[in-house]
């Protein structure tokens, strides 16, 4: 089975530009998570969806960040406008419905905002 | 508080040595799940193991073993006869429910370097 698929793997953009990160979860998984990894803050949960519905977005840093999940096989994380402090690795992850199940991560999207 | 502490920021050993990575967690939940993930230099997060709070049996998988002790709230990870390919950052994580929402709380990670 394919794992969690993220695109782009690497993106360099200029401050003020819009950035869209994409994710395809593992087929059949009910939960989708967006995490951000930085040196200063480590791995932090931004938002997660259950059955395409956002459940907890308390980790989204500010209004510049938005996430959508229009269907069970696709999600986007958008930053508009981007700022240098948004530079990080963004991970998408998915898991099955039961809370004890393993969360599987994609390979990450490495974002650099200059 | 729901928290994971990996006190060892960096560990460096010579190949073939055994090494233990410590993980201490805090939670008020009676049911919880613990995980270890590996992040090699290429950057992806690779799942290694899951353990639920009712199962304190230790686990061995090849050169990897895990020691779960509820009495000390620890879930330590040992690599036996380490190899250069084990060099990575290792994260311990705790999956809990906080205010009705699922959270996977990560430790800060331990950077393990295996020298040839």
């Amino acid at each position: 089975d394919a794992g969690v698929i993220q695109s782009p793997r690497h993106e360099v953009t200029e401050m003020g530009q819009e950035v869209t990160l994409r994710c395809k979860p593992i087929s059949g998984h009910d939960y989708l998570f967006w995490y951000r990894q930085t040196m200063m803050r480590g791995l932090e949960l931004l938002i997660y969806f259950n059955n395409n519905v956002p459940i907890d977005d308390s980790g989204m840093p500010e209004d510049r960040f938005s996430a959508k999940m229009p269907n069970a096989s696709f999600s986007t994380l958008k930053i508009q406008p981007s700022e240098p402090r948004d530079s990080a690795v963004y991970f998408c992850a998915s898991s099955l419905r039961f809370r004890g199940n393993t969360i599987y991560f994609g390979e990450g999207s490495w974002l650099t905002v200059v | 508080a729901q928290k994971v502490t990996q006190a060892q920021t960096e560990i460096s050993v010579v190949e073939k040595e055994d090494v233990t990575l410590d993980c201490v967690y805090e939670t008020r939940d009676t049911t919880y799940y613990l995980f270890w993930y590996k992040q090699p230099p290429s950057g992806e997060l690779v799942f290694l193991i899951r353990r639920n709070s009712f199962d304190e049996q230790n686990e061995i998988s090849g050169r990897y073993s895990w020691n779960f002790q509820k009495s000390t709230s620890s879930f330590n990870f040992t690599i036996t006869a380490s190899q250069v390919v084990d060099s990575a950052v290792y994260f311990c994580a705790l999956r809990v429910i906080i205010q009705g929402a699922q959270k996977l709380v990560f430790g800060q990670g331990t950077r393990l370097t295996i020298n040839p």
Side-chain angles (χ1 to χ4, degrees):
Chain A
D1 282 342
V4 177
I5 299 171
Q6 292 186 244
S7 65
R9 287 296 316 280
H10 299 271
E11 175 140 353
V12 180
T13 191
E14 291 186 349
M15 184 173 64
Q17 296 297 307
E18 178 179 291
V19 173
T20 300
L21 308 178
R22 298 172 179 80
C23 175
K24 177 179 169 55
I26 294 172
S27 178
H29 281 192
D30 304 276
Y31 286 87
L32 184 138
F33 305 81
W34 282 100
Y35 280 84
R36 179 172 68 176
Q37 185 179 31
T38 61
M39 288 294 293
M40 293 298 295
R41 301 173 67 92
L43 277 156
E44 49 182 347
L45 176 66
L46 299 178
I47 185 171
Y48 82 89
F49 296 82
N50 181 17
N51 290 321
N52 313 337
V53 177
I55 302 300
D56 179 17
D57 64 355
S58 59
M60 295 285 264
E62 47 197 273
D63 291 345
R64 297 185 298 106
F65 285 69
S66 62
K68 293 182 180 178
M69 192 166 185
N71 57 63
S73 59
F74 183 67
S75 177
T76 59
L77 177 67
K78 190 171 292 188
I79 309 172
Q80 167 62 21
S82 58
E83 296 181 3
R85 59 193 169 118
D86 302 329
S87 298
V89 183
Y90 292 82
F91 286 100
C92 179
S94 70
S95 79
L96 285 169
R97 68 178 75 90
F98 299 113
R99 70 183 181 109
N101 272 306
T102 299
I103 298 178
Y104 292 94
F105 286 79
E107 293 183 318
S109 291
W110 298 63
L111 174 64
T112 302
V113 183
V114 297
Chain B
Q2 319 275 15
K3 186 180 174 183
V4 175
T5 301
Q6 295 179 254
Q8 305 148 308
T9 306
E10 293 191 34
I11 300 176
S12 181
V13 301
V14 177
E15 201 172 17
K16 297 183 184 176
E17 286 186 21
D18 298 347
V19 58
T20 295
L21 282 60
D22 296 334
C23 173
V24 174
Y25 62 92
E26 294 177 34
T27 180
R28 287 187 295 273
D29 287 8
T30 54
T31 301
Y32 52 88
Y33 299 84
L34 294 161
F35 300 82
W36 276 95
Y37 288 85
K38 174 182 179 180
Q39 187 173 38
S42 51
E44 69 272 28
L45 277 165
V46 179
F47 163 73
L48 295 178
I49 189 171
R50 180 187 77 210
R51 175 66 69 218
N52 74 56
S53 52
F54 297 110
D55 182 4
E56 286 194 72
Q57 192 169 10
N58 292 328
E59 182 152 342
I60 298 174
S61 176
R63 296 183 296 105
Y64 294 173
S65 62
W66 290 268
N67 183 356
F68 177 30
Q69 303 242 349
K70 284 182 76 171
S71 59
T72 56
S73 298
S74 65
F75 186 42
N76 296 337
F77 172 31
T78 297
I79 302 174
T80 304
S82 59
Q83 300 176 3
V84 173
V85 293
D86 296 326
S87 297
V89 180
Y90 291 86
F91 292 93
C92 181
L94 170 69
R95 188 166 181 175
V96 292
I97 302 290
I98 300 175
Q99 296 179 335
Q102 299 244 12
K103 301 282 187 184
L104 187 64
V105 178
F106 282 89
Q108 285 299 104
T110 297
R111 181 177 298 278
L112 176 64
T113 302
I114 310 297
N115 299 298

